[in-house]
Amino acid sequence: MVPFRSMLVLSLFISLGINAIGQENNATSYQLHGFVRSDFYEDSRKMSTSSLDFFSYYPMPRRLNAYGDDLNDVPSAGLSSVFTRFQLSMDGPGIFGASSSQSYVEADFGGSPSYWLVRIRQAYTRLNWKKGYLLVGQYWHPLFTPDLKPDVLSLNTGSPFQPFNRSPQLLLNYGDRLKWTAAAVYQMMYTSTGPDGKTYLYQHNAVVPDLFASVDYSEHRFLTGLAVDYKSILPEQYITDGNGVKTVNKRKLNTPAFMVYGKYTGKSLIVSAKALYVQNLTDHILIGGYAITTDHNYIPYNTFT
């Protein structure tokens, strides 16, 4: 049975969207969007996955038993509609000199085996000026580069080669053909891994947000750009010495990421490419991470995609 309070939250969300339709005036307009999505998958062998096995990463390597049988050579299949999505957008006047504003909320039921869980995918407000905008809230991490995301049938959208991450952030974009972007990002749903598993606390305890900067240039059908990202985490908040005494740890793991990208949009052909050289982007579902030495130093893996 679906818990009452979960149904109540869903009912309030739907009612809000229905009531918003038709409430339009010169200042503010509301629109409710969404779709019902059903996904079916069939795998010929065991996969590394998440989200009820619908978000696939890569096939699991061979795992042989004493008789030489591959224990990961097993099929599986599933069908689900948990990625059905609701979207509410609100357009209105701007503040602080902005010409307009936009607020957007997007939710689905994915992210847990609990089918009644409503998950916030995106939730942000954007102020628009003539040559730029300011976005505050949960949105795609800038390394995802929405303009270059691959269009595939699978939910993974190119992961684990393409960064996949939605996080709370403050993002400023300025320019016309030559655009500059700067962002400060904190982890929430997509988190780093470490001694305590996957948790946002590693960045939370490091205090410093994930810092991003990029510049790109567009001309007619072409787009090209480059970006740099800097992340600081505190893998261990406390360290216990040989006498069993716990002390505060101040050693952080600071890692960069570099990205270059390009895109050509023709009348009947679109070609896009992106290359990344990164360290410790497990919060973007990329292969990598770091090692911890016996004297509590942190050595990140280098990853190129």
Side-chain angles (χ1 to χ4, degrees):
M1 178 179 292
V2 177
F4 170 75
R5 55 184 172 184
S6 299
M7 288 295 296
L8 178 61
V9 171
L10 177 59
S11 299
L12 289 174
F13 185 90
I14 296 176
S15 299
L16 175 62
I18 294 175
N19 291 334
I21 298 176
Q23 292 185 12
E24 183 172 345
N25 51 47
N26 294 331
T28 306
S29 63
Y30 305 82
Q31 288 187 327
L32 181 66
H33 311 270
F35 54 80
V36 175
R37 172 171 177 158
S38 297
D39 291 90
F40 171 80
Y41 74 87
E42 182 177 4
D43 291 320
S44 60
R45 69 177 288 111
K46 189 175 180 62
M47 299 284 293
S48 175
T49 63
S50 66
S51 301
L52 303 176
D53 292 342
F54 283 89
F55 195 107
S56 60
Y57 304 133
Y58 46 82
M60 296 295 289
R62 287 166 57 88
R63 181 186 169 201
L64 302 180
N65 63 10
Y67 301 103
D69 300 323
D70 184 1
L71 299 181
N72 286 331
D73 187 18
V74 292
S76 61
L79 174 66
S80 177
S81 298
V82 297
F83 298 103
T84 294
R85 197 170 300 170
F86 297 96
Q87 303 157 325
L88 175 64
S89 60
M90 298 164 279
D91 298 307
I95 58 176
F96 305 121
S99 58
S100 63
S101 66
Q102 179 188 26
S103 294
Y104 182 81
V105 178
E106 181 181 75
D108 66 8
F109 301 91
S112 170
S114 303
Y115 285 83
W116 51 83
L117 175 68
V118 177
R119 176 183 67 165
I120 295 178
R121 285 173 52 88
Q122 301 184 61
Y124 63 83
T125 295
R126 174 172 153 170
L127 298 177
N128 302 305
W129 287 270
K130 185 177 181 180
K131 286 192 175 183
Y133 62 85
L134 174 67
L135 183 148
V136 182
Q138 179 156 310
Y139 184 63
W140 289 104
H141 192 286
L143 285 174
F144 178 78
T145 51
D147 290 339
L148 276 80
K149 76 176 182 67
D151 293 321
V152 298
L153 293 177
S154 176
L155 286 168
N156 65 4
T157 319
S159 178
F161 308 101
Q162 152 80 353
F164 192 99
N165 180 301
R166 293 183 300 270
S167 295
Q169 60 191 273
L170 178 70
L171 184 145
L172 179 63
N173 179 285
Y174 178 80
D176 188 6
R177 291 183 178 178
L178 183 66
K179 291 184 179 180
W180 301 85
T181 301
V185 187
Y186 276 102
Q187 296 180 5
M188 190 186 72
M189 297 172 59
Y190 297 85
T191 59
S192 296
T193 189
D196 297 323
K198 294 182 68 67
T199 174
Y200 73 97
L201 291 174
Y202 305 125
Q203 188 195 44
H204 174 81
N205 294 332
V207 181
V208 181
D210 179 352
L211 300 175
F212 173 91
S214 70
V215 58
D216 60 52
Y217 180 78
S218 59
E219 179 70 32
H220 192 43
R221 300 181 184 276
F222 292 92
L223 168 69
T224 184
L226 54 88
V228 61
D229 187 81
Y230 175 84
K231 181 173 60 184
S232 179
I233 65 172
L234 189 72
E236 299 170 291
Q237 192 172 14
Y238 303 101
I239 293 177
T240 303
D241 62 19
N243 298 320
V245 178
K246 182 180 292 187
T247 59
V248 175
N249 177 40
K250 296 184 178 180
R251 295 181 183 177
K252 298 178 181 180
L253 173 61
N254 304 312
T255 53
F258 304 95
M259 177 175 67
V260 60
Y261 53 91
K263 183 178 182 180
Y264 168 76
T265 305
K267 293 183 179 180
S268 58
L269 177 68
I270 296 176
V271 179
S272 60
K274 180 163 67 173
L276 298 103
Y277 182 75
V278 306
Q279 292 181 340
N280 190 34
L281 281 194
T282 54
D283 52 316
H284 292 253
I285 318 181
L286 291 184
I287 298 173
Y290 56 95
I292 302 179
T293 66
T294 55
D295 55 351
H296 300 278
N297 286 314
Y298 309 111
I299 305 174
Y301 292 101
N302 297 318
T303 304
F304 177 78
T305 70

